[in-house]
Amino acid sequence: KEYTDNDNRFTIEYPNSWVLGEGHPDAFAEFNDQYDWKTSFQVFLNEDDSLDNRSDSKVLRALERNQWELCDEYTFADVGDRKCSDFKAVDSYTMKTNDDRKVYFVKMTYTLEWEDYLPGQEHSIVKTLGLVYDGNNSWEMAVESFEGVFDNHYGNIIYMMKSFSLEPTSTTPTPTPTKSVTAIPGWIKNNAEWWADGVIDDSSFLQ
């Protein structure tokens, strides 16, 4: 199935058996393997996040560091609904979407505990993240999977990331109508004035 963003900013394909979810309030879309998800795929827009001529390795290291910091901030005291620990960056590389845009890909693992979902139980999570730069912004595909289903869903995750396509936006300006003005040559004006004053006769004016 193909999903098109409400404002036509991007399209993405997802498996026929997956469902649309509500996701994080800042997410532009969420796709789940089922209603009680074991893999959640969300799309975010990061404004003012440009590539800025950085090398691939610098971008990937920055993503790993940012994800570690994000996990470190997830505590019941700070976030309220989840606690994250045991973060580990497992793999990172670049790949291309089907329309040849570069995707910065990072795979990581950590342990999550939810305050309102099976409280007191820890869950091993595999997170995959794909980042696509778009001018001054970037699009982030953030995917969380329970460790037990990750291997089965990995192919779908990569398929979805590669299908991500940014829609071209038309920036052709609408022409502004201009009033057509035909200039009257000065010699015609002079001849008309002389004819009106009787300086020249009718036959001379019409020549």
Side-chain angles (χ1 to χ4, degrees):
K1 291 186 282 190
E2 183 175 86
Y3 174 86
T4 301
D5 172 60
N6 291 335
D7 294 324
N8 292 318
R9 283 166 291 199
F10 67 86
T11 60
I12 189 169
E13 297 177 16
Y14 63 102
N16 289 327
S17 59
W18 286 34
V19 296
L20 293 175
E22 294 183 2
H24 189 278
D26 294 335
F28 281 74
E30 182 190 29
F31 311 91
N32 298 330
D33 64 311
Q34 57 190 29
Y35 288 107
D36 184 16
W37 67 267
K38 297 299 181 183
T39 290
S40 170
F41 187 119
Q42 300 188 77
V43 180
F44 298 89
L45 174 63
N46 301 317
E47 295 182 333
D48 298 321
D49 179 32
S50 63
L51 181 58
D52 198 25
N53 294 319
R54 288 176 293 170
S55 66
D56 291 351
S57 61
K58 284 187 177 181
V59 172
L60 293 170
R61 297 295 83 75
L63 287 175
E64 292 174 356
R65 184 177 63 254
N66 291 343
Q67 291 300 306
W68 174 83
E69 291 175 351
L70 187 64
C71 178
D72 190 54
E73 292 172 359
Y74 279 152
T75 65
F76 291 142
D78 292 336
V79 178
D81 63 345
R82 55 163 55 185
K83 181 173 68 175
C84 180
S85 59
D86 304 324
F87 178 90
K88 181 181 179 182
V90 177
D91 198 7
S92 61
Y93 55 86
T94 64
M95 59 183 178
K96 291 293 186 71
T97 62
N98 296 336
D99 55 5
D100 207 38
R101 285 183 178 269
K102 183 178 287 188
V103 181
Y104 294 87
F105 179 87
V106 176
K107 176 184 175 183
M108 63 214 86
T109 60
Y110 45 78
T111 300
L112 273 186
E113 181 182 344
W114 279 277
E115 189 173 42
D116 56 357
Y117 174 73
L118 300 176
Q121 293 189 24
E122 295 184 336
H123 307 274
S124 297
I125 300 294
V126 180
K127 181 173 182 177
T128 46
L129 186 145
L131 195 76
V132 176
Y133 284 101
D134 178 24
N136 292 326
N137 307 317
S138 67
W139 291 93
E140 176 182 324
M141 294 169 279
V143 190
E144 284 187 324
S145 302
F146 283 81
E147 186 179 45
V149 304
F150 175 75
D151 288 343
N152 290 336
H153 292 167
Y154 178 71
N156 288 332
I157 294 168
I158 297 301
Y159 171 83
M160 292 175 69
M161 288 187 179
K162 288 187 173 182
S163 76
F164 182 81
S165 179
L166 292 172
E167 293 294 294
T169 55
S170 176
T171 57
T172 305
T174 303
T176 303
T178 56
K179 185 177 180 180
S180 178
V181 177
T182 303
I184 301 174
W187 64 269
I188 293 181
K189 292 181 180 179
N190 289 337
N191 283 1
E193 184 178 355
W194 293 338
W195 172 75
D197 292 339
V199 177
I200 57 176
D201 56 23
D202 290 355
S203 60
S204 298
F205 175 69
L206 294 173
Q207 288 180 359

